[in-house]
Amino acid sequence: MIDLKAFRRACYEAARRTAGELTEFRISGEPTPNFHQAIITYSSRNVAVVCVRDAPLMALAVPRVIGFTPEREAGPLTFVDLPDLAAALEVAPGFRLLTAAELDGPIDKAKWPGVSQYDMRHGQPQTLGEGLFNYWD
């Protein structure tokens, strides 16, 4: 399990450094999705900082509805690169920020042994992002 306080602190600090506001923190307490989201609001967009629940891996993505409601979104995340926000998050101790290019690329199971074998069979991810940040129904 990741340190939620450290993740929250990193997101607040990154939002402050980039003139954004952390407006929502979505905790995943169910088996899916397997990631938490911090929603940072800017004047022209919202962005989610997503963090795998069981590993200190973060990414930037289009925000998703993660509750079990009719509005819940399924399917892979859409990863984005925002250089200023990425630079602010990369200094967070204990976390690794992955780029959209890494996450949209193929998944090398040998390089990422921490990816759940159940997720690999059930979800059949085609990209690293699908394997790490899953939203299986």
Side-chain angles (χ1 to χ4, degrees):
M1 297 299 261
I2 65 148
D3 181 346
L4 277 174
K5 287 183 182 181
F7 175 55
R8 188 182 303 253
R9 204 171 22 253
C11 294
Y12 271 112
E13 182 61 20
R16 186 190 65 76
R17 288 182 181 192
T18 58
E21 179 183 1
L22 200 150
T23 55
E24 192 173 351
F25 202 78
R26 300 174 180 167
I27 303 296
S28 173
E30 301 294 330
T32 61
N34 74 334
F35 57 89
H36 307 298
Q37 295 183 82
I39 309 301
I40 299 177
T41 300
Y42 297 98
S43 61
S44 62
R45 68 168 20 170
N46 290 343
V47 64
V49 179
V50 293
C51 185
V52 177
R53 189 172 45 226
D54 298 325
L57 300 170
M58 297 188 298
L60 302 177
V62 174
R64 300 296 295 274
V65 175
I66 66 172
F68 285 93
T69 65
E71 297 85 29
R72 179 179 172 196
E73 299 173 42
L77 289 169
T78 301
F79 298 104
V80 297
D81 284 323
L82 298 169
D84 291 344
L85 182 54
L89 286 166
E90 286 173 346
V91 300
F95 290 94
R96 178 174 175 211
L97 181 68
L98 300 165
T99 66
E102 287 176 294
L103 293 162
D104 290 336
I107 185 167
D108 180 350
K109 296 174 194 174
K111 187 177 176 185
W112 295 94
V115 175
S116 163
Q117 292 305 308
Y118 173 80
D119 289 344
M120 295 301 289
R121 283 190 310 276
H122 181 68
Q124 300 179 356
Q126 301 301 305
T127 67
L128 178 60
E130 290 174 1
L132 293 175
F133 297 90
N134 58 61
Y135 211 101
W136 319 129
D137 286 327

